Amino acid sequence: MKSKWVWIIFVLLFILHQDFWLWDDRTLVFGVMPIGLAYHAGFSIAAALLWVSAVKWAWPSDIEAWADEDATGSEA
Amino acid sequence: MTPIVVILIYLGLLLALGVVSSRFFRGTSNDFFVASRSIGPFLLLMSVFGTTMTGFALVGSSAKTYESGIGVYGLMASYSGLLHSACFFLIGIKLWAFGKKYGYVTQCQYFRARFQSNTIGYVLFPVLVVLIIPYLLVGLIAAGSAIKGLTSGVVKPDGTLLRPGMFAEYGLFESTNPVLNGAVPPWLTGIVIAGIVLVYVFLGGVRSTTWANTFQTIVFMVTGIIAFTLIAKALGGPAAASQAVVERAPESLAREGKISKLQFFSYAFIPLSVGMFPHLFQHWLTARSAKSFRLVVIAHPIFIMLVWVPCVLIGVWALGVAKMDGTPPNAVLGKMVAVLVHQPVVTGVLFAGILAAIMSSLDSQFMCLSTMFTNDVVVHAKGEDHFTDKQLLWIGRIFVIGIVAMTYAISLMKLPINVFDLGVWCFSGFGALFPIAFAAVYWKRATKAGAIAAVVATAALWLGLISYDLFVFKTDHPEEEFLLMGMMPAAALFATCLVTLVLVSLATQTPDAKTIAKFFPKSTANR
């Protein structure tokens, strides 16, 4: 069930990437970073956190064992 | 001379690392092509990130921001943080598992087996090669241009020569053009860059490439941060630098009038290209285990941020500096360092970083083309048992020499088209083929007819659109991109591939039960 939430959050993040409400906003965050850039820098951190949760809750746990089982170049 | 000395020190270190790392080469074709599938998390992260980031990450990001404002970060970097890692997680891990279990070393081997079709290999192979060669050329030509720019003479606004090229006083690289007299010519940079890459790829294959990528990635990441710190200090701090932009070019601090919303959305189809890059596929196969991917997936968005945020800020801050007015976009990063920092050592470090970003992609691309020609052409034609392992290794090495020599020769030609424009089209082409990789891994119903039709339809549309863009499309604004219905052409290409794949697959025979069982095992590995 948790893995489904990972992909729901992935879709939500993709939607939030389209930050059309900030299109003509020139505010400087802390007087330094344009808000459009600050938002997307924050988005990069959110993406990293999403992948932390994906590794924790959506990891294909037995893919390792499956790949090692009877592993072969002879079929290629 | 100091910047050139710094660059030569970097190249010397890289060459030494390449030779040292080749001592760990195990002497087998499996080690040459996939490092015996033994690469751990840190080296995998650095090699995948270094291969993904080209010279565009440093030079192009600041140039594009100078042209189009801060929206460039959302357009390219934050999209990539989300979608690159999605490709690594959803496709990379699965393909690593198939590669390890069935012994694949190229994409065509996997697709041939998955679709039970030799034809898909014959159709896909030339498409992948055609898409990757311009990508190689961009690297070699960009390196030549960067060093030529660094060593060229400087002209005053009134047209008189302020100083000649860097080597004019030694009587080297003479030219009738006073600006280029004494400047390092691109052919020489090309031969040095290609030669160094050739040495370590030839000696140690993908293992040496991985080590070199790790060093190069550290160099270009540190370079961007050093340039950012020194430029911010020279401008009186980040707040003062941004305030100057508010006064001189406030429109660049937002996206209105710079990037349309549809264009912004449609850029999503470009980072999907990593799902089909042959050189990334090869790095995925080098992983020691699936767990090696964990660090790659998590750290990739953060690494992109660490490289891109400083360069985007440098690009936008350049608009607040009067001395930068009229600077060609691709020269912005170098000129900001030259105008504001005045330290030849830093200039040398910056250009070493630019070369590192370029070379960390070049080596992987040379390596993957050698692997493809060896395994998809020679071995496929003659059969696996026709060659000893030693012969396979030497066939791979001979292809490395041939591909490097051919790329270098093409880079010296006067091409009728702008190779940098071609580079963007290559990304679009790889991104458009993403549905085939995704469907092969996750959709049992995807058929060989569907995959072949999708490749052919996408390639035909790609050829039509690129011909129109390069030879017909005219605009008064050089920075204006060719769009279809307000979107990047990558969107139409992706839709063509997806629709063709689905419709033809549904209309043709399902893959046989044996193939389904082989690639869709009844276990959680197939979630």
Side-chain angles (χ1 to χ4, degrees), chain B residues 208-284:
Chain B
S208 287
T209 300
T210 298
W211 280 57
N213 278 188
T214 300
F215 172 60
Q216 289 159 331
T217 301
I218 291 167
V219 168
F220 76 71
M221 287 181 78
V222 169
T223 293
I225 292 167
I226 289 174
F228 172 78
T229 306
L230 294 175
I231 286 170
K233 191 178 169 189
L235 290 170
S242 294
Q243 198 52 47
V245 183
V246 171
E247 288 158 17
R248 296 189 87 244
E251 70 286 352
S252 63
L253 298 172
R255 281 158 284 183
E256 190 63 58
K258 294 279 188 181
I259 300 165
S260 78
K261 289 168 184 169
L262 259 182
Q263 184 185 5
F264 188 82
F265 162 75
S266 64
Y267 252 87
F269 296 100
I270 292 184
L272 293 176
S273 53
V274 301
M276 274 302 284
F277 279 160
H279 46 295
L280 265 187
F281 178 87
Q282 188 160 11
H283 277 298
W284 292 343

Side-chain angles (χ1 to χ4, degrees), chain A residues 3 6 16 21 35 39-41 45 47-48 51 53 56-58 62 73:
Chain A
S3 70
V6 168
L16 286 171
W21 62 93
I35 194 163
Y39 177 87
H40 281 280
I45 295 167
W51 296 118
S53 67
K56 194 171 171 56
W57 290 313
D62 60 356

Side-chain angles (χ1 to χ4, degrees), chain B residues 344-356:
Chain B
V345 172
V346 176
T347 302
V349 169
L350 174 69
F351 277 84
I354 291 168
L355 290 184

Side-chain angles (χ1 to χ4, degrees), chain B residues 111-447:
Chain B
F111 285 120
R112 276 181 177 131
R114 165 62 182 85
F115 292 116
Q116 291 292 289
S117 163
N118 274 331
T119 310
I120 184 76
Y122 297 131
V123 171
L124 193 58
F125 181 87
V127 170
L128 295 175
V129 171
V130 163
L131 288 175
I132 209 162
I133 291 217
Y135 198 176
L136 273 171
L137 289 174
V138 167
L140 269 186
I141 293 171
S145 299
I147 299 301
K148 185 177 80 174
L150 173 67
T151 56
S152 288
V154 178
V155 178
K156 289 180 188 171
D158 63 6
T160 56
L161 196 65
L162 180 62
R163 64 171 169 78
M166 195 176 280
F167 294 93
E169 61 180 302
Y170 305 103
L172 294 170
F173 315 127
E174 290 181 354
S175 169
T176 50
N177 181 335
V179 175
L180 295 180
N181 186 34
V184 176
W187 66 262
L188 180 59
T189 302
I191 210 161
V192 170
I193 298 290
I196 289 172
V197 170
L198 173 63
V199 168
Y200 66 77
V201 171
F202 181 91
L203 289 175
V206 85
R207 185 179 294 282
S208 287
T209 300
T210 298
W211 280 57
N213 278 188
T214 300
F215 172 60
Q216 289 159 331
T217 301
I218 291 167
V219 168
F220 76 71
M221 287 181 78
V222 169
T223 293
I225 292 167
I226 289 174
F228 172 78
T229 306
L230 294 175
I231 286 170
K233 191 178 169 189
L235 290 170
S242 294
Q243 198 52 47
V245 183
V246 171
E247 288 158 17
R248 296 189 87 244
E251 70 286 352
S252 63
L253 298 172
R255 281 158 284 183
E256 190 63 58
K258 294 279 188 181
I259 300 165
S260 78
K261 289 168 184 169
L262 259 182
Q263 184 185 5
F264 188 82
F265 162 75
S266 64
Y267 252 87
F269 296 100
I270 292 184
L272 293 176
S273 53
V274 301
M276 274 302 284
F277 279 160
H279 46 295
L280 265 187
F281 178 87
Q282 188 160 11
H283 277 298
W284 292 343
L285 295 187
T286 64
R288 185 168 54 213
S289 72
K291 291 185 186 75
S292 298
F293 281 83
R294 289 177 173 175
L295 184 62
V296 180
V297 165
I298 292 167
H300 194 79
I302 300 297
F303 272 32
I304 289 178
M305 185 178 75
L306 290 175
V307 171
W308 277 71
V309 167
C311 291
V312 165
L313 279 171
I314 290 171
V316 80
W317 287 346
L319 292 161
V321 179
K323 285 181 184 172
M324 295 296 291
D325 288 353
T327 302
N330 282 330
V332 163
L333 182 61
K335 193 170 173 185
M336 281 288 273
V337 169
V339 166
L340 297 170
V341 181
H342 308 299
Q343 290 178 25
V345 172
V346 176
T347 302
V349 169
L350 174 69
F351 277 84
I354 291 168
L355 290 184
I358 291 169
M359 293 169 78
S360 65
S361 301
L362 266 185
D363 51 15
S364 299
Q365 291 158 349
F366 283 140
M367 188 63 228
C368 91
L369 280 175
S370 156
T371 306
M372 288 166 66
F373 274 100
T374 302
N375 293 283
D376 294 334
V377 176
V378 177
V379 173
H380 184 69
K382 293 284 187 180
E384 183 86 30
D385 300 332
H386 191 82
F387 302 101
T388 65
D389 195 65
K390 210 75 178 165
Q391 286 173 322
L392 273 183
L393 171 61
W394 278 98
I395 292 168
R397 283 176 161 166
I398 289 164
F399 271 119
V400 168
I401 296 171
I403 289 159
V404 171
M406 183 200 68
T407 307
Y408 175 67
I410 297 174
S411 77
L412 298 180
M413 294 176 185
K414 287 207 177 302
L415 299 168
I417 46 180
N418 183 334
V419 77
F420 295 95
D421 291 344
L422 211 52
V424 176
W425 278 100
C426 292
F427 277 81
S428 299
F430 281 118
L433 295 172
F434 173 83
I436 297 170
F438 191 85
V441 170
Y442 288 100
W443 191 34
K444 294 177 187 178
R445 193 68 185 75
T447 67

Side-chain angles (χ1 to χ4, degrees), chain A residues 7 10 13-14 17-20 22-26 28 31-34 36-37 40-41 43-45 47-48 50-52 54-55 58-64 66-73 75-76, chain B residues 73-74 78-79 81-82 85-86 89-90 93 96-98 100-103 109 238-239 242 246 250 253-256 259-261 264-265 289-291 294 297-298 301-302 305 313 384 518 521 524-525 527:
Chain A
W7 300 115
F10 174 81
L13 271 181
F14 187 87
H17 187 274
Q18 321 305 314
D19 58 332
F20 298 151
L22 291 175
W23 219 247
D24 53 1
D25 193 335
R26 297 172 187 172
L28 290 177
V32 174
M33 199 181 277
L37 178 59
H40 281 280
F43 184 93
S44 294
I45 295 167
L50 167 75
W51 296 118
V52 170
V55 161
W59 189 256
S61 51
D62 60 356
I63 199 163
E64 198 93 56
W66 180 81
D68 283 334
E69 185 187 329
D70 305 326
T72 61
E75 286 209 34
Chain B
Y73 184 88
S78 63
Y79 252 150
L82 184 67
S85 286
F89 190 92
L90 292 169
I93 295 169
W96 167 83
F98 292 137
K100 180 159 191 182
K101 191 172 183 71
Y102 302 125
Q109 287 177 338
S242 294
V246 171
L253 298 172
R255 281 158 284 183
E256 190 63 58
I259 300 165
S260 78
K261 289 168 184 169
F264 188 82
F265 162 75
S289 72
K291 291 185 186 75
R294 289 177 173 175
V297 165
I298 292 167
I302 300 297
M305 185 178 75
L313 279 171
E384 183 86 30
K518 182 175 177 179
T524 51
R527 282 185 307 187

